[in-house]
Amino acid sequence: MREMPVTILGYGMMGTARAVAYEAVLRYYGNTPIKPVLYQAYTYTDKEAEGATATGWEATKDLDAAISNPKTEYVDVCLPNAMHCDAVLKALAAGKHVFCEKPLSVTVEEAHKMVDAAKAKPELLNSVNFIYRRVPANVYARKLIKDGVFGKLLEARNFYNQSWGGPDTEYSWRFGAAGGTLGDLGSHALDMLYYTTGMRPIELCAMQGVHIPYRNKPATLGSDLEGRYNKKAKNLEEVWADARESWKNPEGMAKCDTDDYTRIMYSLPGGAVGSLECTRNAWGTENTHGYEYYFERGAIRWNYDDMNYLEIYDASKPERGWARVLANRGGFAYASFADGHMFGYRDLLVNGCYENMLKIAGQPEVAPIATFEDALNVERTIEAVRKSWTEKRWVKLDEIA
Ligand code: SOE
């Protein structure tokens, strides 16, 4: 069987999660055409390096050497957003298949460069981890919409909300100019809109803002997860009061120069309208990513928090009501285990890895991967959002190169 030595760049939250997927893919899908083999990890802390070597693979702190290592064929970019472009361009130039974390880039200009580089090497994979494409319920929703089961789309609502971004969360790159909620979460929601409905906004109007202007700096460099989840239970009233006090004289704190929240309204092809929201400050939401689509003859909704189900409302039936369709069983996409034994996040990563191997082997995908071109279109929408809010006006997507 053809083996594919894999290098993972960045061994934080996503890198470690992804490593599991490469190791598991053949066990999930016996017909995976290529066997990925973990070879090397680029890590930026000793702790991460220990994690990689403990599981039997090489670790290096030399990023360029990791990318161009002649022993590997496939580079998986799990670096902070600002480092994607350079790493991807170098990996393609070195003749590696590339799988990149979302958002693909920080600017549209970068995304164009990456698309051009990928076009120049059509024999190499260019794939972006819009992971929620790999949920069976979403593959099913996509099919129902494509088949026009409920007629034309009239209204759409897409969202991706989390709650970890309070004032007691320390600064990380996610709160810097290259981070931000729109790129981090909104990019998924925009891709989901396109993946499920085939539509992208035509013209939009947006609002963005910051709830927490300054954050404490972390004591050590490391995965931003440490800052998020190693929090002690605190009196939140005090947390907010202390934070507000510290913002008056923020010396020594890190300035957060990106969006904590974004809200968008848009027009879609065929006369439909849509809205999208993303935030890290919505208590009660955890990884609450989803959509509600309203058509001429019914509706469809999905939410990651209950991701194994697609909810369907057939308005043509005399007995109206929401049906909860369990999409995790034989007959649905990625069914490789016993019916109804629920999927989790890491299963989605395995599915993504499976799709990438199919693509490299020239075999049909189960459901389309997100290409660099798809991700470029997401970046164009993100740029339109920023423009709309900065210039306080409606922006046509055509205005963005
Ligand atoms: C952010 O909180 C994050 O980790 C994103 O970066 C991922 O893309 C998302 O899937 C889960 O949340």
Side-chain angles (χ1 to χ4, degrees):
M1 173 165 224
R2 180 176 167 199
E3 290 197 348
M4 170 88 48
V6 171
T7 292
I8 295 186
L9 306 180
Y11 206 57
M13 169 195 171
M14 280 318 291
T16 46
R18 216 97 102 217
V20 176
Y22 291 108
E23 282 174 338
V25 67
L26 253 155
R27 297 180 202 275
Y28 275 53
Y29 302 105
N31 66 348
T32 308
I34 298 170
K35 182 178 179 191
V37 183
L38 293 177
Y39 182 73
Q40 194 173 40
Y42 159 75
T43 62
Y44 40 89
T45 65
D46 289 334
K47 197 168 154 206
E48 289 173 8
E50 276 164 31
T53 46
T55 44
W57 40 317
E58 277 188 12
T60 175
K61 285 190 180 165
D62 184 336
L63 181 56
D64 284 349
I67 295 172
S68 58
N69 189 332
K71 292 189 185 144
T72 64
E73 291 177 40
Y74 179 113
V75 170
D76 184 342
V77 182
C78 297
L79 298 165
N81 304 347
M83 296 169 79
H84 289 183
C85 183
D86 195 48
V88 164
L89 295 180
K90 284 179 177 157
L92 288 170
K96 314 292 183 189
H97 296 289
V98 179
F99 186 40
C100 187
E101 217 7 87
K102 45 48 62 181
L104 179 63
S105 63
V106 176
T107 63
V108 173
E109 204 188 339
E110 280 183 353
H112 273 295
K113 282 190 200 156
M114 290 146 106
V115 167
D116 291 347
K119 278 192 182 148
K121 300 266 174 99
E123 70 285 5
L124 299 176
L125 175 77
N126 68 90
S127 173
V128 180
N129 187 36
F130 281 120
I131 184 172
Y132 303 101
R133 288 186 176 217
R134 310 279 75 95
V135 176
N138 291 332
V139 179
Y140 184 51
R142 183 171 183 273
K143 182 177 176 342
L144 293 178
I145 298 172
K146 244 183 151 190
D147 293 349
V149 170
F150 294 128
K152 245 169 59 96
L153 179 69
L154 302 176
E155 306 212 5
R157 176 181 166 232
N158 289 71
F159 53 88
Y160 198 154
N161 297 332
Q162 298 180 341
S163 51
W164 57 273
D168 53 343
T169 297
E170 290 175 338
Y171 185 82
S172 76
W173 61 268
R174 289 186 198 262
F175 299 106
T181 306
L182 178 59
D184 194 24
L185 306 181
S187 63
H188 278 298
L190 286 168
D191 183 68
M192 184 54 67
L193 169 69
Y194 174 68
Y195 177 70
T196 44
T197 68
M199 293 184 191
R200 297 194 175 101
I202 298 173
E203 192 175 13
L204 61 80
C205 173
M207 261 183 92
Q208 300 196 277
V210 169
H211 293 299
I212 290 108
Y214 299 94
R215 291 175 189 273
N216 290 322
K217 291 182 183 162
T220 52
L221 180 73
S223 161
D224 68 294
L225 275 193
E226 288 168 23
R228 283 196 221 182
Y229 300 123
N230 292 350
K231 293 196 236 174
K232 307 240 160 31
K234 285 181 198 149
N235 175 331
L236 283 176
E237 210 174 322
E238 273 172 28
V239 166
W240 279 96
D242 289 353
R244 289 213 165 85
E245 201 45 44
S246 64
W247 298 342
K248 290 181 191 157
N249 178 16
E251 227 181 274
M253 298 181 85
K255 185 163 170 41
C256 303
D257 38 16
T258 191
D259 61 308
D260 282 331
Y261 63 85
T262 296
R263 295 205 172 212
I264 324 174
M265 280 197 304
Y266 34 71
S267 58
L268 294 166
V273 294
S275 68
L276 187 148
E277 76 206 40
C278 52
T279 175
R280 295 166 175 154
N281 293 100
W283 282 124
T285 69
E286 297 297 341
N287 199 43
T288 307
H289 171 31
Y291 49 78
E292 293 168 6
Y293 297 136
Y294 303 98
F295 304 87
E296 292 168 325
R297 301 188 299 273
I300 291 175
R301 68 185 182 198
W302 172 80
N303 186 332
Y304 174 82
D305 290 338
D306 202 9
M307 74 153 158
N308 290 281
Y309 292 91
L310 185 70
E311 296 196 309
I312 298 176
Y313 188 102
D314 185 346
S316 304
K317 289 206 173 126
E319 63 292 346
R320 287 187 184 160
W322 285 98
R324 258 164 72 78
V325 176
L326 177 61
N328 178 13
R329 57 196 308 166
F332 288 91
Y334 308 120
S336 69
F337 199 55
D339 284 359
H341 290 62
M342 304 305 192
F343 266 40
Y345 187 79
R346 286 194 168 91
D347 295 306
L348 307 182
L349 289 168
V350 175
N351 296 347
C353 180
Y354 178 54
E355 295 284 17
N356 286 344
M357 295 304 136
L358 290 173
K359 185 83 181 173
I360 293 170
Q363 294 184 16
E365 301 144 290
V366 177
I369 60 164
T371 62
F372 284 9
E373 185 104 44
D374 291 329
L376 162 64
N377 280 308
V378 169
E379 293 311 318
R380 289 179 60 242
T381 313
I382 287 177
E383 183 55 33
V385 167
R386 291 195 189 116
K387 203 174 173 61
S388 162
W389 179 232
T390 317
E391 299 177 12
K392 305 282 183 295
R393 66 174 179 92
W394 283 85
V395 172
K396 289 201 166 59
L397 261 289
D398 284 354
E399 294 178 43
I400 314 292

